[in-house]
Every structure is written in C-alpha cells, then in structure tokens.
Amino acid sequence: MIGKLKGTIDSYGEDHLILDVHGVGYQVFCPSRVLQQLPRAGEAAVLFIETIVREDMIRLYGFASEAEREWFRLLMTVQGVGAKVALAVLGVMKASDVATAIALGDKTALSRAPGVGKRVAERLVIELKDKAPGYSSLDADTLAVAQTVSENVASRPVAEAVSALTNLGYAQAQASAAVARAVKAAGEEATTETLIRLGLKELASQ
C-alpha cells in the first residue's frame, strides 16, 4: 500500500488534489484545512497517505503529518464514523486539537465539524478518551482536571471554577489549564472563589 507521496501539485478539486509523481497523477482526498495550507499548483508537496480499498473503489487520503493520518485511522474505528466524517473533523481541527478535545470531553468543539452531531461527538469521546492523552499537547495536570470534570468526579470547587471560566467564554482547555495551575498554587482545599480568582489571573497573564 502507498504510505507517502512526494511530487508536484498538478491541480486542485473541491476536496482533493492531483499529485504528479514522476508523470503519474494520483488523486488524493484531503481535509479542507490541509488543502488550504498546501502550496500552489506547480509546486512540490509531500503527503502521508492512507489507502482504503473496497470492492468498488481504491481511494487515497492525504495528510500533512503522520499524526493526522493516525487520527484519521482512530476516528474511523468509532461506530458511525467513516472517511467523510473523519476528514471533516481533521478539516477543522489539527491532530493535537482533536486529541485535546477528546481528552477533555469537549463535545462542543468536536461538533463544529460538518456531520458530527451530539451523538457522534459523544461516541468519539467515550471510545477514544483512553487513547487521546498520548497525542494531546496538554500537560498531565490539565488533563487530570479536565477528565475529572467531564466524568463528574471533580471536587465541587474545581468543577464550579472550570464551569465559571467556560461561561466567561474561555475554551475548555484554557479553563482546565488555568484551574489546574490554581489548584497547584492554592492547594486541594482551595475554595471556588479562590480558584476562579487565581484562574483568571493565570489567563490574564497569557
């Protein structure tokens, strides 16, 4: 199977490109975000390839990194998620952002991808949450706070502080990171008000 292609971009379609490799034009389907970041036609490009073979077709999917390709594979292990939905997710989020959203249980972020409704987002979180931390860019303390909140086992002050910060418009990852640092600074017995105050201070310093 083809694992990687290096060639010259011949042309672009709505959801794919033609990559000329030594005179052979490969049609490669890519996430929209990847297509937007690739160079113009006539310039060189390298794509990591996932080859899917079915009775009625052979299709190549291209990604900017091995991590993206790995997440494409992981996403398709979830019931109800095929190549189209997996591409849509990676079309709006980087691989590390997908991992972070799943690790944090952030179904709202996942639902921004076309074709990903509430049920699919829930399945992504449930079925992949054990694999996501290894790919996420978040530190262990932040992940620990986020996961206890998403699983409804966090202490009341921690849960309320994260909720308050997200209600103020901060992303789940930002809120969890800020509260994790606040807990480290103030201790496990800190009140909700203290965690919110320290969390806001952390966010303001970024």
Side-chain angles (χ1 to χ4, degrees):
M1 292 296 174
I2 298 170
K4 183 179 179 182
L5 287 174
K6 180 179 182 181
T8 303
I9 297 173
D10 181 87
S11 59
Y12 282 102
E14 183 178 344
D15 57 358
H16 67 276
L17 58 84
I18 303 297
L19 190 66
D20 187 322
V21 182
H22 302 303
V24 179
Y26 292 90
Q27 184 180 41
V28 184
F29 293 85
C30 302
S32 57
R33 184 181 50 78
V34 173
L35 287 174
Q36 292 165 7
Q37 293 174 349
L38 287 170
R40 295 174 296 179
E43 297 185 12
V46 177
L47 290 170
F48 293 89
I49 302 296
E50 178 69 7
T51 306
I52 294 182
V53 179
R54 294 179 181 156
E55 289 185 5
D56 57 343
M57 72 166 198
I58 298 176
R59 184 165 285 190
L60 304 181
Y61 295 91
F63 306 93
S65 67
E66 291 185 83
E68 281 187 350
R69 182 176 61 188
E70 182 62 23
W71 267 104
F72 180 70
R73 293 169 177 168
L74 286 171
L75 290 167
M76 287 196 299
T77 65
V78 175
Q79 181 186 2
V81 176
K84 184 176 181 180
V85 172
L87 277 188
V89 172
L90 291 167
V92 297
M93 305 171 76
K94 296 185 294 185
S96 60
D97 293 336
V98 174
T100 295
I102 291 173
L104 297 179
D106 190 350
K107 295 183 282 289
T108 300
L110 295 168
S111 297
R112 294 191 185 106
V116 178
K118 183 179 179 180
R119 287 185 180 180
V120 173
E122 287 177 351
R123 284 202 297 270
L124 289 171
V125 170
I126 291 169
E127 296 185 32
L128 298 178
K129 66 179 179 180
D130 291 336
K131 299 175 182 177
Y135 296 90
S136 175
S137 58
L138 296 182
D139 62 74
D141 290 336
T142 299
L143 284 172
V145 165
Q147 289 177 338
T148 57
V149 170
S150 67
E151 295 168 8
N152 296 317
V153 294
S155 67
R156 183 175 177 179
V158 167
E160 290 179 344
V162 171
S163 177
L165 294 180
T166 54
N167 288 339
L168 288 173
Y170 292 102
Q172 187 80 18
Q174 289 178 299
S176 297
V179 171
R181 287 192 288 270
V183 170
K184 186 174 287 188
E188 297 287 341
E189 303 303 318
T191 64
T192 299
E193 291 74 16
T194 298
L195 294 180
I196 292 173
R197 177 173 55 80
L198 292 176
L200 286 170
K201 187 176 179 180
E202 287 283 348
L203 291 164
S205 66
Q206 293 177 5

